[in-house]
Amino acid sequence: MTPQLDPQLESIYQQVIQRNPGESEFHQAVLEVFGSLGQVVKKHPDVLENKIIERICEPERQIIFRVPWQDDKGEVHINRGFRVEFNSALGPYKGGLRFHPSVYLSVIKFLGFEQIFKNALTGMPIGGGKGGSDFDPKGRSDSEVMRFCQSFMTELYRHLGEYTDVPAGDIGVGGREIGYLFGQYKRITNRYESAVLTGKGLDWGGSLVRKEATGYGLVFFVEEMLKVEGQSFDGKKCLVSGSGNVAIYAIEKVHQLGGKVVACSDSAGTIYDQNGLDLDLLKEIKEVQRARLSVYADTHKGATYSEGGNIWDIPCDIALPSATQNELGEADATELVKNGCKIVGEGANMPTTPEATRVFQMANVAFAPGKAANAGGVATSALEMQQNASRDAWSFEHTEERLAEIMSHIHRNTFETAEEFGTPGNYINGANIAGFLKVARAMEAFGVV
Ligand code: NDP
């Protein structure tokens, strides 16, 4: 069921579909934002007159390129690289790189589109972009990953710069990949331009808390939601899907705040540990060994691993989908509601399908969209850029404090904007409207560009 849009927004949405055929994820992300803009176009007709919405839906620049590389046996492989520089109204394009076989233009465009509003919500001077490749780092040796990253950067470098475009990590791109990418950038340009990539190692320009930032930020945001109800994480049972960067540090912060995460997952299955997940073991498996999650149950008595199992069938108070797009569907949402889930916070980008989101809204489950709830990662990337610009390195405590302040500000802004536009408690509307208006005002100030 497609939500009823304002007729003018519906017409723009149809144009977006026609101009971008076959890009279902991008269409979904656009429709999600348009669903919140009905009141905005009534209150601010200038955004229609100036065609701000049409302009925001058209990336400023899209780069698609060939990435040839050789594996350890000498066989040549060809992947496709992408960088979509979506919107620079608020600052240089900023957004991660994703290496995953499912990557194609639509995935990068949906992520880049969401990034525009997310970055606006952080209050930092950063525009929106996203990139990546259909390369699969899984099962590849370090040397293979290095050769791929070097080939990828050999084209990408000419589009980057501290004041132009600053990528970071995402699925399949962590500290190892950022290292190889930065090394090649430095080699080609002969410039030690620290602020051209974020998520760097701590010895060479990285920021403390960047690794933890998305997961921690998500939990800080949900903590603010709990405070609205006079509650806290104390004693709350949580589910966190995925077991990558976002999931691991969301689990860590939930545990620090007194909650208990009983399950996490990967693309093959789910681990359930009723006593609460053993985070040290999880980190060892995922960060050190780079092994599959199933190993957890081999070494940890009392935990069960179910191959292909569905994490959303497990009863919980709070669900934090932190794996990938459209991982939580209508039937999952119905099951979560039936089992008493009261809060959903999106750690991943667009993990909840539109049908599932409606189930949560109908059941009055408090729902935090990824644009707001997972903005802590990019916000801390902007803090990394600040430290690079001032040749400074902040302490863990100071950086975490800044992150917590930013998440609290995003919560307040989305909460108050939802109220101002007549939909109290609707964080989706709050995030979309607050992010959109900030970008729209800057675009209007710049004239027709
Ligand atoms: P990682 O690559 O570190 O981890 C992704 C995790 O999700 C892996 O455990 C992966 O398992 C799992 N996964 C993938 N597909 C599925 C599936 N269908 N069902 C269950 N688990 C699955 O990525 P990140 O943690 O960095 O990113 C996760 C999400 O968060 C993405 O949507 C990303 O865009 C978003 N995000 C990330 C930010 C960051 O700072 N890293 C910032 C903001 C958003 P497997 O190993 O089997 O593939």
Side-chain angles (χ1 to χ4, degrees):
M1 192 181 74
T2 311
Q4 196 75 33
L5 289 180
D6 167 283
Q8 283 162 298
L9 289 169
E10 177 64 35
S11 153
I12 302 171
Y13 179 58
Q14 291 307 324
Q15 288 168 32
V16 169
I17 293 179
Q18 269 175 20
R19 286 171 70 84
N20 304 279
E23 297 180 1
S24 58
E25 294 86 356
F26 178 50
H27 303 163
Q28 184 182 335
V30 169
L31 185 60
E32 195 257 2
V33 171
F34 281 19
S36 299
L37 296 185
Q39 288 304 315
V40 175
V41 295
K42 286 199 181 73
K43 228 171 164 173
H44 302 278
D46 49 295
V47 298
L48 288 174
E49 283 151 26
N50 293 324
K51 293 212 163 44
I52 294 295
I53 301 176
E54 287 93 327
R55 277 194 263 165
I56 283 187
C57 292
E58 186 68 21
E60 290 175 16
R61 193 173 299 106
Q62 304 183 61
I63 302 142
I64 303 181
F65 51 100
R66 182 172 69 194
V67 190
W69 58 282
Q70 275 181 301
D71 68 19
D72 289 343
K73 295 189 198 104
E75 191 184 331
V76 176
H77 297 262
I78 311 296
N79 285 101
R80 187 171 290 170
F82 301 90
R83 187 71 184 167
V84 174
E85 298 180 334
F86 229 116
N87 193 296
S88 61
L90 298 179
Y93 311 105
K94 184 89 197 82
L97 298 170
R98 176 176 292 192
F99 292 169
H100 193 271
S102 64
V103 164
Y104 74 118
L105 185 59
S106 169
V107 167
I108 300 298
K109 279 171 73 176
F110 112 67
L111 290 163
F113 185 73
E114 292 236 302
Q115 197 83 43
I116 304 170
F117 308 105
K118 179 190 308 192
N119 293 4
L121 287 173
T122 66
M124 326 282 281
I126 40 180
K130 199 83 188 187
S133 173
D134 56 359
F135 171 72
D136 187 359
K138 244 183 245 147
R140 291 288 172 196
S141 68
D142 285 353
S143 323
E144 289 174 326
V145 171
M146 180 185 75
R147 283 194 293 277
F148 174 81
C149 289
Q150 289 175 341
S151 181
F152 185 83
M153 186 53 92
T154 300
E155 170 58 34
L156 189 67
Y157 87 94
R158 67 188 89 243
H159 309 287
L160 305 185
E162 185 181 347
Y163 299 105
T164 311
D165 187 349
V166 182
D170 189 76
I171 291 180
V173 179
R176 173 182 62 171
E177 289 75 16
I178 294 291
Y180 295 145
L181 291 164
F182 185 70
Q184 184 73 350
Y185 182 88
K186 185 172 76 60
R187 180 189 194 190
I188 296 174
T189 59
N190 193 29
R191 284 168 66 85
Y192 204 109
E193 213 180 316
S194 293
V196 79
L197 281 169
T198 58
K200 297 183 292 293
L202 294 176
D203 296 328
W204 39 278
S207 172
L208 286 163
V209 191
R210 175 60 191 91
K211 185 173 67 173
E212 294 83 356
T214 309
Y216 276 22
L218 165 68
V219 176
F220 287 144
F221 190 95
V222 173
E223 192 186 24
E224 295 294 327
M225 295 167 84
L226 284 160
K227 280 188 201 160
V228 172
E229 302 296 328
Q231 296 187 38
S232 74
F233 264 102
D234 206 25
K236 296 279 187 305
K237 201 196 244 194
C238 306
L239 306 177
V240 179
S241 64
S243 47
N245 174 259
V246 178
I248 286 177
Y249 292 96
I251 296 168
E252 182 161 283
K253 188 48 79 181
V254 169
H255 286 178
Q256 285 174 9
L257 296 181
K260 185 163 77 170
V261 180
V262 293
C264 69
S265 59
D266 65 9
S267 54
T270 299
I271 280 286
Y272 174 61
D273 192 339
Q274 61 177 351
N275 300 319
L277 291 168
D278 177 344
L279 192 65
D280 290 339
L281 177 60
L282 197 60
K283 282 186 183 173
E284 168 67 25
I285 294 169
K286 300 307 291 188
E287 294 186 338
V288 181
Q289 300 173 10
R290 292 177 188 271
R292 304 304 298 162
L293 189 59
S294 53
V295 175
Y296 184 103
D298 298 343
T299 52
H300 213 273
K301 294 202 177 26
T304 50
Y305 174 72
S306 50
E307 181 103 25
N310 188 352
I311 190 169
W312 309 124
D313 290 345
I314 300 168
C316 69
D317 303 304
I318 298 172
L320 304 175
S322 303
T324 194
Q325 64 270 11
N326 292 327
E327 54 161 308
L328 197 167
E330 189 172 13
D332 303 320
T334 306
E335 191 65 16
L336 281 165
V337 170
K338 195 183 92 194
N339 288 334
C341 175
K342 291 283 182 285
I343 295 186
V344 175
E346 293 189 320
N349 287 310
M350 212 168 74
T352 315
T353 65
E355 296 76 20
T357 308
R358 266 191 291 285
V359 170
F360 290 134
Q361 287 179 322
M362 298 299 287
N364 281 327
V365 170
F367 183 88
K371 274 188 199 85
N374 72 31
V378 74
T380 308
S381 278
L383 299 180
E384 182 175 331
M385 291 163 76
Q386 272 185 31
Q387 292 169 77
N388 294 151
S390 58
R391 305 278 190 273
D392 201 357
W394 304 341
S395 70
F396 193 96
E397 292 70 24
H398 175 70
T399 317
E400 189 182 7
E401 211 171 288
R402 294 284 307 265
L403 169 65
E405 276 166 16
I406 291 166
M407 296 315 295
S408 163
H409 164 81
I410 297 174
H411 177 269
R412 200 166 46 251
N413 190 9
T414 49
F415 187 83
E416 290 175 359
T417 305
E419 281 198 332
E420 186 190 333
F421 281 80
T423 53
N426 186 330
Y427 288 96
I428 298 177
N429 283 351
N432 285 336
I433 296 171
F436 172 81
L437 283 176
K438 178 144 194 197
V439 178
R441 280 188 208 112
M443 289 176 74
E444 288 188 327
F446 297 153
V448 181
V449 288

